Amino acid sequence: MSPSPPPDGPSTALSRVNNFLITPYDMDPTTCDRANYTRGLCAPPLLASGSSKVWLVIVLQTRALYRTLAFHPAMEPNLSQTFSTPANSKNRVYFMWDFVGRTLHMMYLVPSSLPDMNDKESETFNDVLTRSMLTVHLLKDIEPGRLNALTESSYPAQKDNHPELGEDVLAATQGLDNVLVGLPKQIHKGRIGIPEVQQEH
């Protein structure tokens, strides 16, 4: 039986101490298994006060998709391995779990009050949006077969071995898609410091 996804932590900007994420999990990739690495990356508390609603909803929906991918049955052979150990099954679910996790980590480098970004942070945020749109594109199979082709390109042994994504992954993908579609148009044009990016106070 596949493990159940952990529940969401308190949805309440990202807390840091000396620029390290606050998480109860040991995030050392040489000792932390993939199940707990996933939990740890989703564990830092989100503080609504002073945070952009855009930042919050992107992080929450990306977390939801990351957890759903992690606890998909096709990831079960990989979950007890440490993060730095080559995965037992580098299937397309693993491929997307790794991709989405990197996107989430990048989002944590972006200030939660989006209009306060410097040039480097703005570039990172734009990369997050691009990666998030690609994630939706691949998981919804908008360009049929592209995810399979990318997986096989990275991991040739996976040729013709493509597990079904399942309803949970597709629902989490749709949640992220809904967030992206609902973003203010100016954000898609790369203008971040705008009135439409509302703040929680």
Side-chain angles (χ1 to χ4, degrees), residues 132-182:
S132 298
M133 288 185 281
L134 178 58
T135 294
V136 169
H137 187 94
L138 293 174
L139 290 174
K140 293 180 74 172
D141 206 26
I142 291 172
E143 185 179 340
R146 188 178 180 193
L147 174 55
N148 294 350
L150 288 173
T151 303
E152 292 177 6
S153 176
S154 296
Y155 310 118
Q158 296 300 313
K159 182 173 175 58
D160 299 326
N161 177 31
H162 303 299
E164 292 295 324
L165 297 175
E167 293 183 1
D168 291 345
V169 168
L170 294 178
T173 301
Q174 187 60 52
L176 180 59
D177 193 16
N178 292 343
V179 167
L180 296 173
V181 169

